[in-house]
């Protein structure tokens, strides 16, 4: 099926690509933590006014992370939270790459393969701001996804 207009594409895309879930293991560069498990809901949503599809994380939540910093010179720089990311755009697919093309589905599929998703999710995680236990300060941690699985 070839989509010939943006309206046609927008009407059909969410049926063809319903949101899906991935489960991941995240390594945070900090010797106080072991691997952290998380789950994310990924969706492909059309934005007709901007002329592209968004590949976005609708919801990413990790298990609870706790690392106390008692006795440290940093005082309150422990972590006592879970990672929570909502409505974060991972990538965009311009309508021009899809409308009137026979292979539009291959173009969309290339944005949701494991390696591409892993890289995009790592960018989002590396921009995530943890807060210290007092809630006063924000800071980042380097994160790597060591395992990513699509859930059925």
């Amino acid at each position: 099926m070839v989509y010939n207009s943006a309206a046609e594409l927008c009407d059909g895309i969410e049926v063809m690509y319903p949101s899906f879930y991935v489960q991941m293991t995240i390594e945070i560069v900090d010797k106080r933590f072991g691997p952290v498990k998380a789950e994310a809901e990924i969706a492909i949503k059309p934005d007709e006014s901007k002329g592209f599809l968004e590949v976005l994380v609708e919801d990413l939540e990790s298990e609870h992370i706790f690392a106390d910093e008692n006795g440290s010179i940093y005082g309150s720089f422990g972590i006592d939270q879970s990672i929570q990311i909502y409505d974060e755009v991972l990538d965009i697919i311009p309508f021009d790459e899809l409308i009137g093309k026979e292979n539009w589905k291959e173009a969309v599929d290339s944005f949701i393969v494991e390696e591409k998703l892993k890289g995009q999710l790592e960018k989002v995680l590396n921009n995530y701001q943890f807060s210290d236990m007092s809630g006063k300060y924000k800071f980042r941690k380097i994160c790597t996804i060591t395992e990513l699985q699509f859930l059925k």
Side-chain angles (χ1 to χ4, degrees):
M1 172 181 202
V2 175
Y3 290 116
N4 294 309
S5 70
E8 200 176 276
L9 176 67
C10 290
D11 284 345
I13 204 72
E14 289 187 63
V15 173
M16 293 282 291
Y17 288 97
S19 58
F20 59 94
Y21 292 86
V22 294
Q23 193 171 42
M24 64 196 97
T25 303
I26 304 165
E27 293 283 344
I28 300 172
V29 178
D30 187 319
K31 64 183 182 231
R32 300 173 293 171
F33 308 126
V36 175
K37 299 279 187 198
E39 194 172 290
E41 180 180 4
I42 312 291
I44 297 175
K45 301 262 182 182
D47 189 331
E48 196 169 354
S49 65
K50 293 181 181 169
F52 54 73
L53 297 179
E54 293 178 330
V55 179
L56 64 107
V57 176
E58 287 198 312
D59 176 18
L60 184 153
E61 193 157 335
S62 76
E63 62 191 9
H64 194 82
I65 304 165
F66 179 76
D68 196 358
E69 267 304 311
N70 279 340
S72 163
I73 57 168
Y74 297 110
S76 70
F77 281 95
I79 294 175
D80 185 9
Q81 67 184 88
S82 59
I83 299 170
Q84 296 177 337
I85 298 171
Y86 305 102
D87 298 326
E88 189 72 36
V89 176
L90 297 175
D91 224 325
I92 59 168
I93 309 167
F95 285 168
D96 296 347
E97 292 182 24
L98 309 174
I99 295 174
K101 307 261 178 22
E102 283 285 335
N103 64 346
W104 69 269
K105 198 165 178 353
E106 291 169 27
V108 174
D109 288 348
S110 72
F111 281 85
I112 55 174
V113 293
E114 185 178 332
E115 281 309 306
K116 177 98 173 172
L117 269 180
K118 214 175 190 182
Q120 295 296 345
L121 285 166
E122 281 179 358
K123 281 184 196 173
V124 170
L125 287 166
N126 284 318
N127 285 329
Y128 183 76
Q129 294 194 340
F130 290 90
S131 56
D132 68 320
M133 290 166 76
S134 73
K136 239 165 52 171
Y137 301 101
K138 299 276 188 191
F139 53 93
R140 291 188 171 95
K141 292 278 183 191
I142 297 170
C143 299
T144 305
I145 297 173
T146 55
E147 185 183 328
L148 182 112
Q149 291 179 292
F150 289 85
L151 300 175
K152 301 288 181 224

